[in-house]
Amino acid sequence: MRCVHCCKTMSTSPAPAANGGGGGGAAAARGSPGSPGSPGENRERRNSKISGMTLRKSLTKVQDGDVWAVYEKGRKLGSGKSGQCYEGVHRVTKQTFAVKVIRVRNLDQNMQARLVDEIEYMTEMDHPNIVKVFESFRSSRGDFSLVMELLSGGELYEHLLDSEEGRYEEPVAARLFEMMCKAVAYIHSKNICHRDLKLENFVFDETSEEAQIKLIDFGLSRRHGLGIKRMKTAVGTPYYVAPEVIERGQSYDQACDIWSLGVLL
């Protein structure tokens, strides 16, 4: 099991559909075509740096200081290539959060640029079906910490695998899909395209039958519209990615998320 707050992975097993569809085969590991160091991504990120005006604009809400001076470090929730995730208890309110600590020194230039974008996008979000970032900190060593809501219900993917038939009944699937659509409609209203919608990136906030699902992982997201050029980099998860995303020389827009929603259903 991965930590849903800090690890970015791609499914290596067949992806079940929410209403009982699904397909055979296996999804390829991220790296082709959507790895951060691929030629397409390098062209899209040419001359990107984690400094200057972009950094100042994106991180205006980041506080300088040690996150553990404000939160008491709890148990480790998981770890990934870029950092680790812990439970954090606010020293005053005693509320519990997930604290994602990102080691910038372990990231190459492209990944640093992605991190800047991800922090910017996530701090803008305020929707019941999108994971919430409450605070962010930058340490004296340059590492970043994101204080996020703690999601304890598990991935939608895991829930489907654990179900008796690998699917939901139609009323349940309809309720979940409505929440997915609301989350995607919201980010599109913010001119943000997620580009990696999949079962693993929807997580339940708790374990009851009335649990809400939350959209996570904005590491591959990009802004669109308002004079910004259409996207060209082939990224995402093969099972869910729209044809125009992986077609050589083809540009695409936020409609690629709509295709992925259809696959999820």
Side-chain angles (χ1 to χ4, degrees):
M1 180 183 298
R2 67 171 183 152
C3 169
V4 299
H5 300 91
C6 66
C7 303
K8 294 177 174 60
T9 60
M10 292 182 65
S11 172
T12 55
S13 58
N19 68 345
R30 180 173 294 164
S32 177
S35 65
S38 66
E41 185 66 15
N42 287 335
R43 285 193 298 271
E44 192 170 279
R45 289 292 187 179
R46 186 173 293 134
N47 298 324
S48 294
K49 295 181 179 179
I50 191 166
S51 60
M53 183 177 297
T54 299
L55 179 64
R56 291 194 298 271
K57 179 181 178 181
S58 300
L59 304 181
T60 53
K61 297 182 180 180
V62 175
Q63 307 172 56
D64 290 322
D66 182 6
V67 65
W68 303 123
V70 181
Y71 295 84
E72 182 178 349
K73 184 186 290 187
R75 65 186 178 94
K76 187 175 181 179
L77 299 174
S79 61
K81 178 181 178 181
S82 61
Q84 299 175 328
C85 193
Y86 301 88
E87 278 190 358
V89 180
H90 195 279
R91 294 182 182 275
V92 176
T93 67
K94 304 304 179 183
Q95 289 181 286
T96 303
F97 301 89
V99 180
K100 177 180 177 180
V101 181
I102 306 165
R103 298 186 295 267
V104 175
R105 59 189 177 278
N106 291 350
L107 306 179
D108 61 24
Q109 182 171 299
N110 286 325
M111 290 298 291
Q112 290 181 18
R114 282 193 184 280
L115 172 61
V116 170
D117 287 345
E118 184 174 9
I119 294 175
E120 177 183 1
Y121 301 154
M122 293 187 71
T123 53
E124 287 183 22
M125 301 299 167
D126 186 13
H127 189 276
N129 298 120
I130 298 176
V131 64
K132 179 67 176 175
V133 173
F134 295 98
E135 292 188 283
S136 52
F137 295 80
R138 178 169 44 192
S139 72
S140 57
R141 295 183 297 180
D143 294 343
F144 292 98
S145 298
L146 301 181
V147 180
M148 311 162 65
E149 63 179 314
L150 182 62
L151 305 178
S152 58
E155 297 174 358
L156 178 58
Y157 180 78
E158 294 172 341
H159 278 248
L160 280 172
L161 287 182
D162 292 340
S163 64
E164 292 184 2
E165 299 181 358
R167 66 177 183 177
Y168 290 120
E169 295 298 326
E170 185 173 344
V172 178
R175 173 179 171 270
L176 297 177
F177 192 65
E178 180 182 12
M179 288 187 277
M180 294 180 188
C181 291
K182 287 180 177 179
V184 173
Y186 177 81
I187 66 172
H188 285 183
S189 74
K190 297 283 188 180
N191 298 312
I192 294 172
C193 180
H194 190 277
R195 303 203 298 181
D196 196 24
L197 297 177
K198 56 185 178 181
L199 291 170
E200 295 91 331
N201 283 342
F202 287 95
V203 179
F204 289 94
D205 61 348
E206 41 102 4
T207 57
S208 76
E209 293 184 357
E210 299 303 317
Q212 298 283 304
I213 55 173
K214 309 270 186 172
L215 177 60
I216 66 168
D217 194 348
F218 286 80
L220 294 181
S221 301
R222 291 297 306 276
R223 289 199 181 276
H224 64 84
L226 299 178
I228 300 174
K229 294 182 179 179
R230 289 165 62 94
M231 296 166 283
K232 294 183 178 180
T233 303
V235 297
T237 301
Y239 262 114
Y240 306 91
V241 69
E244 64 268 24
V245 175
I246 57 177
E247 185 175 344
R248 187 180 298 274
Q250 178 73 28
S251 63
Y252 58 92
D253 59 18
Q254 72 275 18
C256 66
D257 283 346
I258 308 304
W259 174 282
S260 299
L261 280 174
V263 176
L264 284 165
L265 181 61

